Structures are given as C-alpha cells and as structure tokens.
Amino acid sequence: MKNLVKIIMMLFIASGASAQSDSGYVFTTIKDLPATSVKDQYRSGTCWSFSGLSFIESEVLRKGGDTLDLSEMYVVRKCYDYKAEKYIRMHGTINFDAGGAFFDVFWVLDHYGLLPESAYKGLNYGEDKHVHGEVNGALQSFVKSIETNKNKKLSTAWKGAVDGILDAYFGNIPESFVYDGKTTNEVDFTKKYVDIDPSDYVSITSFTHHPFYEKFILEIPDNWLWGASYNVPLNEMAEICRYAVENGYTIAWGGDTSEKGFSFKNGLAIIPDADTEDMSDLERAKWENMSQNDRDRKLYTFDKPGSEKKITQEMRQEEFDNYQTTDDHGMHITGMVKDQNGTVYYKVKNSWNTNNLYDGYLYMSEPYLKLKTMNFVVHKDAIPKEIRKKMGIK
C-alpha cells in the first residue's frame, strides 16, 4: 500500500512537471502580492468593474484589512444610472454602453460607498452568470428614445423609468443588509471594511499628444466620466509599474487585448520580434513570401520564450493614433515573475473565470505593457518620489 501511494505521488509530480514543460515557459516568482479569488464577468462588458474592485480588494489587504468580495454589479448599476443622465445632458453625443473605466469604480466609492457581493449579486433576470445583452439593449434603446423624443422637452418620468429597468435586471439596492452577523448599510460597510480614500489614487498614461507631467482626459469612448490621467514619458511609465510591484502595490491595468500576441488560453501577452530570434531558422525571402496566416502561426505559437520588439515612445503613439491600440479590457497586476531566460513578466489577474493554463491569470511581458497599456491606476505612494515630484503630487 505504501509503495502504491509512492507510485501515485511520483506519477502526480511527473504529470505536473510535464504540464509545466509542455507550456514552453517556466516561470519563477519574483513578487506575488495578495489578491482575492478570480471572478467571472461572463457575457458582460464590465471588466472595468471586476478589475477595479479586485484592485480595491487587494488594497484593503495591503492595508491589513479583511478579505472582501465586493459587488461588481452594484458599481455597474450606479454607473448606468449616472451615465444615462449624462447621455441625456449631452444630447446623445457621448458613449452609452456597458464599457467603463477605473474612474467609475472610484466615483461610486466616493459618492455612495460599496456593497459586498452577498448583498447585491445583480442577477435578477433568471441567469446564474452575468449575461448583459438584453439589459444593455433595453437601456440603450430607452435613453435613445428619450433623447430623440418629439415632445421638445423632457418629462419628469424618464429618470424613474431608467431606475425601473435597472431594478428589474439588477435588483433593488437594499437599504440595509446583514454582514458579518450585523445589520449595516453601504455607507457604514464601506467605512468599516473598505476604508479607501479615492484621492490617494492616480491614473497614469504615456502619450505625446499632450504635455508630460500634466493631467489630461484620455480620449477613449469608455471614458464617459471624463477622468483625467497623468502623462509621463514611456520609460517612467514602465518604471512606475516596476517600482509599484517591487514595493508591494498592485496595479489596475487597462489596455489592448485584441492583439495576436495576447492569448488567455496560453496565459501570455507578448510582442514577438519577427526580425530577430523568431526568424532565426528562416531566410528573409522565405518569410516575406509567407502568407499572413503562416507568419502568424510562426510568431504566435506561444511554445517557448523568444525575442520581443523594443518599444519606443513613437511606436506607442503611432499605434494609439491609428487605432492599432484600443481600449479593450481591464485587468489587475498582482506580481512579477521571470522565465527560464531571466526575462521579467507581470502576473495579471483576469476576470474570465479560471479555465486557462494559469487558473485565470496570465503573464504579460514588459514590451506588451509598454506598447499596449492605455492607462493604469496605482496608489500615489507606489510612484517613485522623483517622478511624483515632476507630476506635482505630494
């Protein structure tokens, strides 16, 4: 019996080692910061709420607080309410959709507080997971009909009607609820368990169409709240990310995930360099004569670490200007690792469930972060003092 147990254990260990080897990448942890469990946004465009709240949950842990599971749909519901009002005030000229930004999460925290998942699941429409096609369509159609109505004035009923749709799909917001055995409300819950000051957090980006070390409103459709980001040079943006993680701060990251170098299944986000190592076994003429599909298969096999492009400020700006870098997705950086060649990657928590190679996480290379970051949010103390001084942050 003991020998059988030993054999089973050996087979288990061998299978684990094989799985790691089959991935082609062997990662060693440099920094692994506290984070809550991976969630699943499912068929909803609410990554900004999932990643933003995951970031806040980690900040609570960093400050010595309890492990929290905050309600993403409470934040989504509050934002939809205000987004509808702003859409009408702007005569339908701003984006009204499921998308959002990290600014939205902090806006809700600042104005209303937060709720635990146990008090507000936002599943009031016969589904076990978040499926938002119908509610998105209903809200979009309704606010559009209000904006284009032929009465030449607005009634006093339309805001209540929006609330009615939101209550029908997400549920009524409770006036009180039981948490940790005690009756409380959103304000008291937030003061006791969250204790986060939104003014301590800053959004950072890096583009040349605005002056460095100043704030500007990032021109992306989902920034409907018109939140402002600090603009810093590319090398300093990357330096802030490294400094933050090395000093115990996680990062709320937003950027482009529609690239062929982004593979959730394989748990990787990379920018392969076609001109160096990836072409080492090919003649240039043969490479140039390949179809685009064959080139993609060669570059994006994710079978082993390879050389990546050197990212410049000019390259980053060009891809933003020509729509090659778009605002696709929000995730949560919770650590750093290195591969078998010593190359550093960021450990990134996603909100697409745990059904990938790394149980819902992925590893993002520094070139990918430099090129495809739209913006990120960190605590102001996560910024090196000399850079913070240039930004005018005390």
CSV table of all heavy atoms in Angstrom, one decimal, residues 273-297:
chain,number,residue,atom,x,y,z
A,273,ASP,N,9.2,39.5,-31.8
A,273,ASP,CA,10.1,40.3,-32.7
A,273,ASP,C,10.3,39.5,-34.0
A,273,ASP,O,11.1,38.5,-33.9
A,273,ASP,CB,11.4,40.7,-32.1
A,273,ASP,CG,12.2,41.6,-32.9
A,273,ASP,OD1,11.8,41.9,-34.1
A,273,ASP,OD2,13.2,42.1,-32.4
A,274,ALA,N,9.7,39.8,-35.1
A,274,ALA,CA,9.8,39.0,-36.3
A,274,ALA,C,11.2,39.1,-36.9
A,274,ALA,O,11.5,38.3,-37.8
A,274,ALA,CB,8.7,39.4,-37.3
A,275,ASP,N,12.0,40.2,-36.6
A,275,ASP,CA,13.2,40.4,-37.3
A,275,ASP,C,14.4,39.8,-36.6
A,275,ASP,O,15.5,40.0,-37.1
A,275,ASP,CB,13.4,42.0,-37.3
A,275,ASP,CG,12.3,42.6,-38.1
A,275,ASP,OD1,11.9,42.0,-39.1
A,275,ASP,OD2,11.9,43.7,-37.8
A,276,THR,N,14.2,39.1,-35.5
A,276,THR,CA,15.4,38.6,-34.8
A,276,THR,C,15.3,37.1,-34.5
A,276,THR,O,15.2,36.3,-35.5
A,276,THR,CB,15.7,39.4,-33.5
A,276,THR,OG1,14.5,39.3,-32.7
A,276,THR,CG2,16.0,40.8,-33.7
A,277,GLU,N,15.1,36.7,-33.3
A,277,GLU,CA,15.1,35.3,-32.9
A,277,GLU,C,14.0,34.5,-33.6
A,277,GLU,O,14.2,33.4,-33.9
A,277,GLU,CB,15.1,35.2,-31.4
A,277,GLU,CG,15.7,33.9,-30.9
A,277,GLU,CD,15.8,34.0,-29.4
A,277,GLU,OE1,16.6,34.7,-28.9
A,277,GLU,OE2,15.0,33.4,-28.7
A,278,ASP,N,12.9,35.1,-33.8
A,278,ASP,CA,11.8,34.3,-34.3
A,278,ASP,C,12.0,34.0,-35.8
A,278,ASP,O,11.3,33.1,-36.3
A,278,ASP,CB,10.5,35.2,-34.2
A,278,ASP,CG,10.0,35.3,-32.8
A,278,ASP,OD1,9.8,34.3,-32.1
A,278,ASP,OD2,9.9,36.4,-32.3
A,279,MET,N,13.0,34.6,-36.4
A,279,MET,CA,13.3,34.3,-37.8
A,279,MET,C,14.6,33.6,-38.0
A,279,MET,O,15.1,33.4,-39.1
A,279,MET,CB,13.3,35.6,-38.7
A,279,MET,CG,12.0,36.3,-38.9
A,279,MET,SD,12.1,37.8,-39.8
A,279,MET,CE,12.8,37.1,-41.4
A,280,SER,N,15.1,33.1,-36.9
A,280,SER,CA,16.5,32.5,-36.9
A,280,SER,C,16.6,31.3,-37.8
A,280,SER,O,17.7,31.0,-38.3
A,280,SER,CB,16.9,32.1,-35.5
A,280,SER,OG,16.0,31.2,-34.9
A,281,ASP,N,15.5,30.6,-38.0
A,281,ASP,CA,15.6,29.4,-38.9
A,281,ASP,C,14.9,29.6,-40.2
A,281,ASP,O,14.5,28.7,-40.9
A,281,ASP,CB,14.9,28.2,-38.2
A,281,ASP,CG,13.4,28.5,-37.9
A,281,ASP,OD1,13.0,29.7,-37.9
A,281,ASP,OD2,12.7,27.5,-37.6
A,282,LEU,N,14.7,30.9,-40.6
A,282,LEU,CA,14.1,31.2,-41.9
A,282,LEU,C,15.0,32.2,-42.7
A,282,LEU,O,15.6,33.1,-42.1
A,282,LEU,CB,12.7,31.9,-41.6
A,282,LEU,CG,11.6,31.0,-41.0
A,282,LEU,CD1,10.5,31.9,-40.7
A,282,LEU,CD2,11.2,29.9,-42.0
A,283,GLU,N,15.0,32.0,-44.0
A,283,GLU,CA,15.6,33.0,-44.8
A,283,GLU,C,14.6,34.2,-44.9
A,283,GLU,O,13.4,34.0,-44.9
A,283,GLU,CB,15.8,32.5,-46.2
A,283,GLU,CG,16.9,31.4,-46.2
A,283,GLU,CD,17.1,30.8,-47.6
A,283,GLU,OE1,16.4,31.3,-48.5
A,283,GLU,OE2,17.9,29.9,-47.8
A,284,ARG,N,15.1,35.4,-45.0
A,284,ARG,CA,14.2,36.6,-45.1
A,284,ARG,C,13.2,36.5,-46.3
A,284,ARG,O,12.0,36.8,-46.1
A,284,ARG,CB,15.0,37.9,-45.1
A,284,ARG,CG,14.1,39.1,-45.2
A,284,ARG,CD,14.9,40.4,-45.1
A,284,ARG,NE,15.6,40.4,-43.8
A,284,ARG,CZ,15.0,40.9,-42.7
A,284,ARG,NH1,13.7,41.4,-42.8
A,284,ARG,NH2,15.6,41.0,-41.5
A,285,ALA,N,13.7,36.0,-47.4
A,285,ALA,CA,12.9,35.9,-48.6
A,285,ALA,C,11.7,34.9,-48.3
A,285,ALA,O,10.6,35.1,-48.7
A,285,ALA,CB,13.7,35.4,-49.8
A,286,LYS,N,12.0,33.8,-47.6
A,286,LYS,CA,11.0,32.8,-47.3
A,286,LYS,C,9.9,33.4,-46.4
A,286,LYS,O,8.8,33.2,-46.6
A,286,LYS,CB,11.6,31.6,-46.7
A,286,LYS,CG,10.6,30.5,-46.4
A,286,LYS,CD,11.3,29.3,-45.8
A,286,LYS,CE,10.3,28.2,-45.5
A,286,LYS,NZ,11.0,27.0,-44.9
A,287,TRP,N,10.4,34.2,-45.4
A,287,TRP,CA,9.5,34.9,-44.5
A,287,TRP,C,8.6,35.8,-45.3
A,287,TRP,O,7.4,35.9,-45.1
A,287,TRP,CB,10.3,35.6,-43.4
A,287,TRP,CG,9.4,36.4,-42.5
A,287,TRP,CD1,9.1,37.8,-42.6
A,287,TRP,CD2,8.8,36.0,-41.3
A,287,TRP,NE1,8.3,38.1,-41.6
A,287,TRP,CE2,8.1,37.1,-40.8
A,287,TRP,CE3,8.8,34.8,-40.7
A,287,TRP,CZ2,7.4,37.0,-39.6
A,287,TRP,CZ3,8.0,34.7,-39.5
A,287,TRP,CH2,7.4,35.8,-39.0
A,288,GLU,N,9.2,36.6,-46.2
A,288,GLU,CA,8.4,37.6,-46.9
A,288,GLU,C,7.4,37.0,-47.8
A,288,GLU,O,6.4,37.6,-48.2
A,288,GLU,CB,9.3,38.6,-47.6
A,288,GLU,CG,10.1,39.5,-46.6
A,288,GLU,CD,11.2,40.3,-47.3
A,288,GLU,OE1,11.4,40.1,-48.5
A,288,GLU,OE2,11.7,41.2,-46.7
A,289,ASN,N,7.7,35.8,-48.3
A,289,ASN,CA,6.8,35.1,-49.2
A,289,ASN,C,5.7,34.3,-48.5
A,289,ASN,O,4.8,33.8,-49.2
A,289,ASN,CB,7.6,34.2,-50.1
A,289,ASN,CG,8.4,34.9,-51.1
A,289,ASN,OD1,8.0,36.0,-51.6
A,289,ASN,ND2,9.6,34.3,-51.5
A,290,MET,N,5.8,34.2,-47.2
A,290,MET,CA,4.7,33.5,-46.4
A,290,MET,C,3.4,34.3,-46.5
A,290,MET,O,3.4,35.5,-46.6
A,290,MET,CB,5.1,33.4,-45.0
A,290,MET,CG,6.1,32.2,-44.7
A,290,MET,SD,6.3,32.2,-42.9
A,290,MET,CE,7.4,30.7,-42.8
A,291,SER,N,2.3,33.6,-46.4
A,291,SER,CA,1.0,34.2,-46.2
A,291,SER,C,1.0,34.8,-44.8
A,291,SER,O,1.7,34.4,-43.9
A,291,SER,CB,-0.1,33.2,-46.4
A,291,SER,OG,-0.1,32.2,-45.3
A,292,GLN,N,0.0,35.7,-44.5
A,292,GLN,CA,-0.1,36.3,-43.2
A,292,GLN,C,-0.4,35.2,-42.2
A,292,GLN,O,0.0,35.3,-41.1
A,292,GLN,CB,-1.1,37.4,-43.2
A,292,GLN,CG,-1.2,38.2,-41.9
A,292,GLN,CD,0.1,38.9,-41.6
A,292,GLN,OE1,0.7,39.6,-42.4
A,292,GLN,NE2,0.6,38.6,-40.4
A,293,ASN,N,-1.3,34.3,-42.6
A,293,ASN,CA,-1.7,33.2,-41.6
A,293,ASN,C,-0.4,32.4,-41.2
A,293,ASN,O,-0.3,32.0,-40.1
A,293,ASN,CB,-2.7,32.3,-42.2
A,293,ASN,CG,-4.1,32.9,-42.2
A,293,ASN,OD1,-4.3,33.9,-41.5
A,293,ASN,ND2,-5.0,32.4,-43.1
A,294,ASP,N,0.4,32.1,-42.2
A,294,ASP,CA,1.6,31.3,-41.9
A,294,ASP,C,2.6,32.1,-41.0
A,294,ASP,O,3.2,31.5,-40.1
A,294,ASP,CB,2.3,30.9,-43.2
A,294,ASP,CG,1.6,29.8,-43.9
A,294,ASP,OD1,0.8,29.1,-43.3
A,294,ASP,OD2,1.8,29.6,-45.1
A,295,ARG,N,2.7,33.4,-41.2
A,295,ARG,CA,3.5,34.2,-40.4
A,295,ARG,C,3.0,34.2,-38.9
A,295,ARG,O,3.8,34.1,-38.0
A,295,ARG,CB,3.6,35.7,-40.9
A,295,ARG,CG,4.3,35.8,-42.2
A,295,ARG,CD,4.3,37.3,-42.6
A,295,ARG,NE,4.9,37.5,-44.0
A,295,ARG,CZ,4.9,38.6,-44.6
A,295,ARG,NH1,4.4,39.7,-44.0
A,295,ARG,NH2,5.5,38.7,-45.8
A,296,ASP,N,1.7,34.4,-38.8
A,296,ASP,CA,1.1,34.4,-37.5
A,296,ASP,C,1.3,33.1,-36.8
A,296,ASP,O,1.6,33.1,-35.6
A,296,ASP,CB,-0.4,34.6,-37.6
A,296,ASP,CG,-0.8,36.1,-38.1
A,296,ASP,OD1,0.2,36.9,-38.0
A,296,ASP,OD2,-1.9,36.3,-38.5
A,297,ARG,N,1.2,32.0,-37.5
A,297,ARG,CA,1.4,30.7,-36.8
A,297,ARG,C,2.9,30.6,-36.3
A,297,ARG,O,3.2,30.0,-35.3
A,297,ARG,CB,1.1,29.5,-37.8
A,297,ARG,CG,-0.4,29.2,-37.8
A,297,ARG,CD,-0.7,27.9,-38.5
A,297,ARG,NE,-0.3,27.8,-39.9
A,297,ARG,CZ,-1.1,28.2,-40.9
A,297,ARG,NH1,-2.3,28.5,-40.6
A,297,ARG,NH2,-0.7,28.1,-42.1
